[in-house]
Amino acid sequence: MRNTWIICRRELSAYFTSPVAYVFIVIFLALAGGLTFFFGNWLERGQADLQVFFIYHPYLYLFLIPAVGMRLWAEERKSGTMEFLMTLPISTGQAVIGKFVAAWIFAGIALLLTFPIWVTVNFLGNPDNGVIVTAYVGSWLMAGGFLALSASVSALTKNQVVAFVLAAVLGFVFLMSGVEIVQAFFRAWAPPKFVDSVAELSFLTNFGDLSQGVIDVRDILFFASVIGVALFINTAIVEIKKSA
Amino acid sequence: MDRLLEINGLTKKFGPITAVDNISFSVDRGEVLGFLGPNGAGKSTTMKMATGYLSPTSGNITVCGSDVRRNPIEIKRRIGYLPEGAPLYGDMTPHSLLNFVSDVRKLSREDRRRGIEQAVESLHLERVLHQPIETLSKGYKRRVGLAQAIIHDPDVLVLDEPTDGLDPNQKHEVRELLDRMSSTKAIIISTHILEEVDAVCSRAIIISQGRIVADQMPSQLEERSRFHNAVGIRITPDNAEKCMSILHDISEVRSVEQVIQSSGLSELVAFPHNGGDIIGPVRSALDQNGLMVDEMFVEKGRLEDVFRNLTIGGAPNESGDDTGGVGVQEVANHA
């Protein structure tokens, strides 16, 4: 636990010593705001909620979260620091979790910085703040899901660009698994039961309820399991890659 | 004797390539082991396994009595390691990096203060303590890498090319540092610089194509050189011919070679039979003929020569007296 926290702290400070962090936060805030106002017509709708704010988060994360996660292991492998890190008295699991949590906290900070929109909606009307908090938590959980996928993929390669593209593609599959484009791919060869369960893996479906303030334990469990399984695979990949 | 590192039948295969082939050796407290070999011989791979980074294909590694595979975390605590090329987090400063390592190594406040202070002082890092590592020169990076390896006062120190990229003064300081630490630790260094072996190592292992081809004290290795006990003579060119024939006539001398001609002097080397002592006979023969030489010296033996013989041509050769015959060739590796 202590080691995980030490790794996490170092990773977090690594984010903020590079310009990437600030670029990411600015772009995330600009896009989140822009989409809400111009595509979601938030003001014109005249409703005191953040529905149209949260509805774009899955698509924002699809491209922005791989940018946060791509460096986690690829950079470590490229610069050789993986050898330095993994010969310190820490376990692979601690390193994997520490790095993931750092990136997740970073994503959380970016998400929290959208607070002006929450202030605005409270200024303009009387929104159900419980719904908004649930949606924020749901959004952060979903970010964690994307991030865990990105982190595992990042361990596969030394090249951050490859890590980014792979993570975006994998994220797309999870995001859209309920949508025809992904369903058609599986329906061609897999049994119907399997195709249905693929649909269940959709980030979109599972985020849908949370973003409307419906706390369904299954949705929370879903994102928690995606994170858990992805990090487990991440640990295995790191173990394999460092031995080869 | 306190045996801190023991390696038994260590083998590492990468697919069809055998990088390390059944290596066994051990290092005691107080020893400085020099690890020599051409590039790609398996030095770094062996070190990576000893420090628990790579897992061996077969064989055992014991550090301070515990098995590396069974207690990886425990042994990593006892080892200080400088990986090849000294990879470090470029975004950190030496100060933050050393604190990070002290955190991970769970040093008490007192140990941390002392450890960092001593490492910074002995490696002269004061000036760059708060600069990002990525902006530092190669020599500083290497020394920061060394510093992080020693702050916890480890029992076993594994250093992959610790003096690479250092200038002669820095090299000298690092060697002195190793010397100071050597009595309380088991130290393994890999190096390309053969003089370093003479300077700091109490023992040297030469590995070639994943196998140990020699494991001896540096002085014993030198004895394996055909130059061991050879007599070098510098003489004016006019007298070189005469001197050569005199040397040829000495029964103890096996052969004579004219090595180089520089600074207007000829240099001759008389080789003995089986490394015997020939300075006496050579001196008296020259005296008898009234030949004046400008310089005369006995060679201890040349590590470079031994190194080439053991590592060129593949077939590991353990026999000690079979080191003659190879002339000046291209050096297998050059630091």
Side-chain angles (χ1 to χ4, degrees):
Chain A
M1 194 60 203
R2 190 168 160 259
N3 284 342
T4 308
W5 173 237
I6 294 166
I7 301 290
C8 174
R9 230 172 35 197
R10 196 215 80 76
E11 286 294 325
L12 205 51
S13 74
Y15 273 112
F16 286 102
T17 50
S18 78
V20 179
Y22 303 100
V23 171
F24 173 86
I25 287 178
V26 168
I27 290 181
F28 176 75
L29 295 180
L31 285 177
L35 289 170
T36 310
F37 283 95
F38 296 109
F39 287 88
N41 296 319
W42 183 56
L43 290 174
E44 289 82 349
R45 283 175 79 236
Q47 289 185 27
D49 63 29
L50 291 180
Q51 276 302 302
V52 291
F53 168 66
F54 286 109
I55 208 165
Y56 292 109
H57 280 197
Y59 308 100
L60 275 178
Y61 289 158
L62 178 59
F63 292 103
L64 290 181
I65 293 290
V68 178
M70 66 181 185
R71 58 164 286 279
L72 283 178
W73 292 98
E75 189 181 44
E76 201 92 43
R77 287 187 55 198
K78 174 122 190 169
S79 65
T81 46
M82 183 142 142
E83 188 172 349
F84 164 66
L85 179 67
M86 300 315 285
T87 47
L88 290 173
I90 52 163
S91 69
T92 308
Q94 287 167 340
V96 166
I97 295 171
K99 277 170 169 285
F100 166 77
V101 171
W104 204 17
I105 291 175
F106 176 72
I109 291 170
L111 188 58
L112 284 179
L113 286 175
T114 61
F115 73 90
I117 200 157
W118 174 74
V119 173
T120 308
V121 77
N122 274 282
F123 180 75
L124 293 176
N126 287 311
D128 184 341
N129 281 319
V131 171
I132 292 176
V133 169
T134 309
Y136 262 113
V137 171
S139 175
W140 190 54
L141 274 171
M142 181 173 57
F146 277 114
L147 203 49
L149 296 176
S150 301
S152 330
V153 169
S154 165
L156 282 173
T157 171
K158 286 181 182 173
N159 187 320
Q160 295 197 35
V161 177
V162 173
F164 175 86
V165 174
L166 286 178
V169 170
L170 191 62
F172 181 80
V173 171
F174 271 88
L175 183 65
M176 297 295 188
S177 64
V179 176
E180 188 53 27
I181 178 171
V182 175
Q183 288 279 293
F185 170 75
F186 286 106
R187 203 173 296 131
W189 51 273
K193 260 229 161 76
F194 181 79
V195 178
D196 288 344
S197 48
V198 167
E200 291 289 314
L201 292 177
S202 167
F203 278 21
L204 221 44
T205 322
N206 285 281
F207 176 58
D209 290 344
L210 289 168
S211 72
Q212 297 177 20
V214 181
I215 303 175
D216 188 336
V217 179
R218 276 178 306 179
D219 295 332
I220 294 169
L221 271 180
F222 167 76
F223 285 117
S225 343
V226 168
I227 293 171
V229 171
L231 291 186
F232 180 76
I233 293 170
N234 189 349
T235 309
I237 294 172
V238 171
E239 288 282 351
I240 291 165
K241 287 289 174 181
K242 86 182 173 80
S243 282
Chain B
M1 197 59 99
D2 205 355
R3 181 141 297 177
L4 294 182
L5 176 74
E6 192 157 9
I7 285 179
N8 247 318
L10 189 66
T11 298
K12 179 70 185 176
K13 290 183 177 150
F14 296 106
I17 300 156
T18 305
V20 173
D21 191 359
N22 197 18
I23 276 183
S24 302
F25 65 89
S26 59
V27 191
D28 297 332
R29 196 186 293 278
E31 266 192 309
V32 181
L33 175 67
F35 226 46
L36 302 171
N39 290 324
K43 304 187 295 289
S44 293
T45 308
T46 306
M47 288 180 149
K48 282 175 206 223
M49 287 190 281
T51 51
Y53 182 66
L54 284 180
S55 34
T57 307
S58 63
N60 293 310
I61 303 165
T62 314
V63 174
C64 306
S66 25
D67 187 273
V68 168
R69 270 192 275 198
R70 215 162 296 150
N71 301 309
I73 306 285
E74 174 57 30
I75 71 105
K76 284 171 186 171
R77 219 165 266 148
R78 311 288 294 269
I79 291 183
Y81 178 40
L82 172 72
E84 189 179 17
L88 299 165
Y89 293 122
D91 56 85
M92 298 180 100
T93 64
H95 180 260
S96 58
L97 185 97
L98 294 179
N99 275 301
F100 166 68
V101 174
S102 318
D103 276 342
V104 172
R105 294 198 174 278
K106 298 186 166 64
L107 298 189
S108 69
R109 184 176 304 200
E110 178 57 23
D111 286 346
R112 167 194 306 241
R113 196 189 53 76
R114 198 178 42 223
I116 294 182
E117 208 168 78
Q118 281 177 356
V120 166
E121 192 190 340
S122 53
L123 291 156
H124 304 286
L125 297 174
E126 298 90 348
R127 268 187 45 223
V128 299
L129 217 45
H130 298 286
Q131 282 178 33
I133 290 170
E134 61 198 355
T135 66
L136 301 182
S137 69
K138 200 177 171 198
Y140 269 122
K141 280 182 190 162
R142 186 68 41 140
R143 283 181 285 160
V144 174
L146 274 166
Q148 64 78 24
I150 60 173
I151 47 174
H152 57 300
D153 193 21
D155 286 318
V156 178
L157 201 49
V158 180
L159 308 172
D160 205 344
E161 297 183 7
T163 58
D164 190 34
L166 302 185
D167 69 34
N169 294 334
Q170 295 164 348
K171 274 181 194 165
H172 181 73
E173 277 164 10
V174 167
R175 285 173 199 163
E176 281 191 330
L177 173 68
L178 290 177
D179 226 31
R180 279 203 300 279
M181 294 189 300
S182 63
S183 59
T184 56
K185 301 181 194 312
I187 302 177
I188 306 180
I189 65 168
S190 78
T191 180
H192 279 155
I193 309 158
L194 295 169
E195 56 179 276
E196 200 151 279
V197 177
D198 247 345
V200 292
C201 299
S202 56
R203 214 174 102 209
I205 284 182
I206 298 181
I207 93 170
S208 175
Q209 301 187 349
R211 287 182 201 188
I212 293 180
V213 290
D215 179 354
Q216 285 174 318
M217 294 196 305
S219 61
Q220 290 171 322
L221 275 177
E222 282 167 350
E223 284 172 19
R224 295 168 68 158
S225 161
R226 70 197 186 103
F227 285 95
H228 178 61
N229 277 347
V231 173
I233 292 168
R234 293 217 176 88
I235 193 165
T236 48
D238 323 341
N239 288 329
E241 282 291 304
K242 190 180 170 199
C243 180
M244 195 126 166
S245 66
I246 294 169
L247 291 174
H248 267 301
D249 291 340
I250 303 169
S251 60
E252 287 91 340
V253 172
R254 190 185 64 184
S255 63
V256 185
E257 275 176 30
Q258 189 148 358
V259 190
I260 39 162
Q261 278 172 310
S262 64
S263 62
L265 290 177
S266 292
E267 185 171 333
L268 304 174
V269 181
F271 293 96
H273 295 287
N274 299 323
D277 198 354
I278 55 167
I279 181 74
V282 167
R283 194 199 300 264
S284 55
L286 292 176
D287 280 351
Q288 274 166 24
N289 287 278
L291 203 62
M292 291 296 288
V293 299
D294 288 76
E295 215 179 303
M296 182 152 76
F297 51 89
V298 179
E299 295 251 14
K300 269 165 50 185
R302 299 182 185 174
L303 276 180
E304 205 173 278
D305 178 56
V306 178
F307 181 84
R308 271 202 303 271
N309 274 305
L310 289 170
T311 56
I312 288 181
N317 196 336
E318 273 290 3
S319 67
D321 55 6
D322 194 14
T323 49
V326 177
V328 178
Q329 293 178 1
E330 198 191 343
V331 182
N333 68 76
H334 209 271

